[in-house]
Amino acid sequence: MRSNNSYKGGKAGSGVYQNIINHLPEHDIFISAFAGHCGVTRNKKPSYITYLIDRSSSVIEYWKIQDSSVLLRHGDCLDIIPSLLKVSAGNDVLIYFDPPYLFDTRSHKRNIYEFEYSESDHLALIQYAISLNCNVCISHYPCEMYDVGLQGWNTHDFVAMTRSGLRTERIYMNYEKPVKLQDYSYIGSDYRERERYKRTTNNILNKFKRMDPLLKNSILQQLQNI
């Protein structure tokens, strides 16, 4: 899909979506609760089912044009998610929350979103997130409200380029750092390491393709037993 880096708070920037995708475990159903122009959804390996939720009608229209494979829901995510979880029972669900940044954490203290999020909205989101029985990942700037509210959750920090310069982004996870990912396309902590991993992977695969078929099957069988 066409990339769009202009969406405020979007995660399509280089090094941003890669860091997030590298921390998304395997799942059947992906729910992006604040869709925006979601760089994560646009760049990750498609899930069996993807739900995108947003309060903005213009965002919903954007996704209708961009990707007909996703299921769109217009409204407040806290109202919509419970019904999605009911119909998704028995599947591995991952919910990704990317709410508007807390006002006090922004470099420029002004409204920038079509639908802003108050402190009470953030508190309600945190309380709802900790009540969920599925995997949950939340993006935000490091701040006391989220650090305290999500105490005990695992975190990962990385530096991202914003309109105001470099900022530290933090993702909060209610699960251990996954060793089985939904998408391995971006493994590596930065561009140089990702390129090195790609070269290593390609070298191994090319060598494997040249092997005798009997040896290939022997290796595959042993890998399955690891």
Side-chain angles (χ1 to χ4, degrees):
M1 278 179 283
R2 176 175 58 84
S3 178
N4 187 315
N5 293 319
S6 64
Y7 192 85
K8 295 180 177 66
K11 299 299 183 287
S14 178
V16 179
Y17 65 85
Q18 293 96 331
N19 265 284
I20 297 170
I21 291 171
N22 284 344
H23 289 80
L24 301 183
E26 287 182 321
H27 55 272
D28 301 317
I29 298 172
F30 182 70
I31 301 174
S32 179
F34 296 84
H37 290 182
C38 197
V40 172
T41 301
R42 286 191 281 108
N43 288 285
K44 68 184 278 293
K45 176 184 174 181
S47 308
Y48 179 65
I49 297 175
T50 297
Y51 292 103
L52 301 183
I53 306 170
D54 208 281
R55 295 170 66 188
S56 170
S57 57
S58 63
V59 166
I60 298 300
E61 290 302 315
Y62 168 87
W63 278 102
K64 285 181 180 178
I65 297 170
Q66 291 297 308
D67 190 347
S68 60
S69 69
V70 300
L71 302 176
L72 304 172
R73 296 294 185 270
H74 183 208
D76 188 299
C77 62
L78 300 192
D79 295 331
I80 294 171
I81 289 175
S83 62
L84 300 184
L85 294 178
K86 284 183 180 179
V87 299
S88 302
N91 293 284
D92 288 330
V93 178
L94 172 62
I95 303 177
Y96 174 56
F97 292 99
D98 183 23
Y101 296 118
L102 269 166
F103 195 80
D104 288 345
T105 67
R106 303 177 192 178
S107 299
H108 298 293
K109 303 295 191 290
R110 63 173 182 267
N111 294 340
I112 58 175
Y113 299 104
E114 181 181 356
F115 294 95
E116 287 288 349
Y117 228 50
S118 67
E119 287 194 8
S120 60
D121 289 329
H122 281 279
L123 288 170
L125 171 60
I126 290 169
Q127 289 301 312
Y128 181 66
I130 62 179
S131 74
L132 291 167
N133 292 318
C134 61
N135 287 334
V136 179
C137 178
I138 301 178
S139 289
H140 203 279
Y141 292 144
C143 64
E144 184 177 6
M145 180 184 290
Y146 277 82
D147 288 348
V148 173
L150 301 176
Q151 189 173 10
W153 285 36
N154 292 300
T155 61
H156 171 71
D157 291 0
F158 60 94
V159 176
M161 177 59 72
T162 70
R163 290 177 175 82
S164 303
L166 294 175
R167 290 293 304 267
T168 297
E169 291 264 3
R170 176 169 292 170
I171 55 176
Y172 298 82
M173 302 162 282
N174 69 346
Y175 50 86
E176 298 294 329
K177 181 178 179 180
V179 293
K180 290 187 176 181
L181 303 177
Q182 178 73 8
D183 189 342
Y184 295 91
S185 301
Y186 310 105
I187 57 171
S189 59
D190 54 30
Y191 175 79
R192 182 172 296 179
E193 189 170 66
R194 286 192 291 272
E195 288 300 303
R196 179 165 60 84
Y197 283 170
K198 286 180 183 178
R199 288 195 300 271
T200 300
T201 299
N202 289 334
N203 289 338
I204 292 173
L205 289 175
N206 288 332
K207 184 176 181 180
F208 184 77
K209 290 175 183 178
R210 295 192 297 268
M211 289 180 182
D212 177 84
L214 193 61
L215 179 57
K216 283 184 184 179
N217 290 330
S218 173
I219 291 172
L220 288 172
Q221 185 180 66
Q222 293 181 61
L223 287 173
Q224 290 174 353
N225 294 327
I226 292 178

